[in-house]
Amino acid sequence: MSPELKDVLAAAFIGFCFVVFLYPAMALILLPSP
Amino acid sequence: MSVLFDAAIFLAIFAVLCAFGLAFSTRSEFGRTFETTLSGIALLLGACSFGFFVCGSLGNFAFPFFVCAIPLFCLAFAIVRRKHIVARLQTFFSRLRDLPRVESLLLLYLAGVFALTFLATLVPPGGGDYDSLVYHLAAPRQYLRAGRIVELRYDHHTYFPFGTEMLFTFGLWLRGPIVAKLFHWLMLPLACGAIVAIARRHLSLRSGLLGAALFASLPVVQSEAPTAYIDLALVAFSLFAFLQFFNWLEDGTDSGLILCGIFCGFCLGSKYLGVLTFGWLGLGVLFFSARQKRFAFKPLLAFCALPILLGGGWYLRNILWTGNPVFPFAYGVFGGRGWTAGMAQRYSIEQAIFGFGHAPLDWLMLPWRLSFSPLGALNGMQPWWPFGRAVSSAQTGLFETPGMALSTILGPALLAFGAPLLFIQSKPRVVNFMLCSFAFFWLFWTLTAHYLRYLLPAFALLCIACGWAIERFLGRSAPLRLATAITFVIWLCITPFLTPYLLFGQVRAALPVILGRQTQDDYLSRNFVGYRAMKWANENTPPTARFAVWGEPRCYHLDRDYFFADSFHNTLIDYEQIKSGDDLVSALRNLRATHVLVNTDPAGTAGVGTAPPQLEQAVASGQVNLIFESRVYKIYALQK
């Protein structure tokens, strides 16, 4: 596997993790204050 | 005004600690000065905790002596080395000015998190500081009432190592709960400083600052720092132990091994899990000594003996009190006075409900679930099946108690930056050792209770490795560089706001108290449902009153002698023998109880337990009289 492809895969994984988390987390941010 | 006075007192303590740390450093080089200053502060805190424990166990905390002796000692030390201190401070500030932009921004971020968490600490402990109210602060308050460390048979938590609680005891004695909480807050800057020190010496300063920022950004860390819990103390002492271990490993200095032993002792005294740090680093010392054929007898002996000397006292105390050094754990091996097989079984079940299950497939999916919890527990928000469903049944699907799930979040950063790290070849030995250490802690955690906080020392180590990885990623091709930079910055900025229960929400709740617009009494009335009843008890019952408490373990604010009367806490009341109201009253009298406090709605108020039906019989017969009622709390007096 070329270094460039490795970088793209790593970048995709990092982006994927954050998008998956932040999408539903936005709903939490909008929860009413305690 | 009053909370600002608490802050001022603590800042004075901090100044004394810093003066000692600076005077403690002997090297002229900036990095070494930073490292030794931090180590000096941590050493002094650990030594004070040990001193309080010894004095408190012998019969008197002797706090007035410590209050006079330590500042005088530090002052004398600082005066003798004043030129040295001034030179170090000048070097420190000149190096700060010369820092590159990325490092400066990371430092600014860390300062921001420290400032916000400091502000959030400036309120008295409310209902959210659950364990603080149950034992981290409640037991020290009882020690202060007794003037020394006494066995509190009503609560099994009080048999845990209480090294950090000794600092809380001092804070309570000196001023009150806010100063006590600030001792735990201090462990966050110390832990982050230790991360920077490890990476600066063995990797790079930028790696260290990236790792420290990552650790300080974790929501679970930010929400824990303003409380009087003890997990960040274990993190800080563990990191200093690792720092000294690496110094010994890389530079071959005997002093590193000795200091590593001292910090392992403080870990043992902070929490039972400190045994893991000592055991793992002990294995590391043996392994590398054998590999390098380097056996220096005296440093090795010191490494083994110092932890036992500095941390073993807590375990010896348990042996003397109960016969079990790790009471109430390992009941099947050691037994334990005041505990039964049934209680041990119930306790194991309580610990086992955390997480998503213990089937092998559950373990495999743990990294994912941990990173995205508690999103999976909220209906309609579970984004990615099948990872959210437990393979084995009867699990909570949470890594914290439900009431605190929204304030203890790990987030995806460690998974996102940590997993690609595994595929990087030819990593430095320090990074490899940290990954192995993380794997060791992770394995233990996987096989035991899936409680998020227990992994904090391991997360701190992983953050250092991730900091190194992020620095590498930022030097690679555009896609990886951009993805890393963008996600990292967004993550740092967004974590305080993720839920209303996290840092921003905590600061917002604390501001009225800090600004004097809300009294501490009012704050507590709003933030802890049991406060009014306990305050009434403090003002309207004699100082010699002794309370039996059902349904409510959060008794810090009850400034009276008390004991938990629920059957699962202890064996003080033999419920097999309680058949009537008379039996119950007789049992309470035998325990010298004069009053009873009951939370009648534990399920709705995060209490635990319930009063036995015989209490109603005793009330009906007039042996126990209701004297106060507020919200769901009732206070009774036993007929004389």
Side-chain angles (χ1 to χ4, degrees), chain B residues 6-7 36 66 114 192 212 215 240 249 258 366 476 490 530 551 559:
Chain B
D6 287 80
T36 46
F66 282 103
F114 298 157
C192 290
F215 183 69
F240 280 109
L249 186 63
I258 295 167
L366 258 178
R476 297 295 292 257
I490 289 176
D559 190 16

Side-chain angles (χ1 to χ4, degrees), chain B residues 433-515:
Chain B
F433 189 79
M434 266 179 295
L435 289 177
C436 289
S437 306
F438 177 78
F440 168 75
F441 287 118
W442 176 268
L443 185 67
F444 180 86
W445 184 82
T446 301
L447 298 174
T448 54
H450 293 179
Y451 212 67
L452 184 61
R453 284 201 310 268
Y454 297 170
L455 267 179
L456 280 177
F459 290 148
L461 295 173
L462 189 58
C463 281
I464 303 174
C466 284
W468 178 80
I470 292 169
E471 189 184 10
R472 288 270 305 226
F473 296 159
L474 291 173
R476 297 295 292 257
S477 61
L480 185 52
R481 191 169 64 236
L482 280 175
T484 302
I486 292 169
T487 52
F488 187 68
V489 170
I490 289 176
W491 175 249
L492 293 193
C493 295
I494 205 168
T495 48
F497 307 95
L498 271 176
T499 78
Y501 301 88
L502 288 174
L503 188 54
F504 184 69
Q506 288 176 316
V507 172
R508 207 169 57 169
L511 272 180
V513 180
I514 296 168
L515 297 173

Side-chain angles (χ1 to χ4, degrees), chain B residues 535-548:
Chain B
K535 188 183 175 209
W536 186 90
N538 298 340
E539 292 170 349
N540 295 282
T541 60
T544 53
R546 180 166 159 85
F547 280 76

Side-chain angles (χ1 to χ4, degrees), chain B residues 44-54 162-164 166-167 269 314:
Chain B
L44 186 56
L45 283 172
C48 287
S49 158
F50 179 70
F52 299 155
F53 167 58
V54 172
F162 261 22
T164 313
M166 290 296 98
L167 298 175
W314 298 103

Side-chain angles (χ1 to χ4, degrees), chain B residues 554-593:
Chain B
R554 295 166 293 179
C555 290
Y556 165 75
H557 292 291
L558 180 60
D559 190 16
R560 290 289 180 271
D561 189 10
Y562 64 85
F563 62 89
F564 298 156
D566 288 293
S567 62
F568 51 85
H569 285 301
N570 50 58
T571 54
L572 292 175
I573 297 176
D574 183 2
Y575 280 93
E576 294 286 317
Q577 305 299 322
I578 306 295
K579 309 290 183 198
S580 66
D582 289 346
D583 295 338
L584 184 66
V585 170
S586 171
L588 291 177
R589 287 194 201 288
N590 285 340
L591 289 165
R592 296 181 291 105

Side-chain angles (χ1 to χ4, degrees), chain B residues 351-365:
Chain B
Q351 296 280 309
I353 62 169
F354 293 107
F356 283 76
H358 287 265
L361 201 55
D362 285 322
W363 293 341
L364 205 63
M365 293 191 284

Side-chain angles (χ1 to χ4, degrees), chain A residues 7 13-14 20 28-29 33-34, chain B residues 378 384 416 476-477 498 508:
Chain A
D7 283 3
F13 178 75
I14 291 168
V20 167
L28 285 181
I29 294 170
S33 295
Chain B
L378 300 171
W384 302 101
R476 297 295 292 257
S477 61
L498 271 176
R508 207 169 57 169

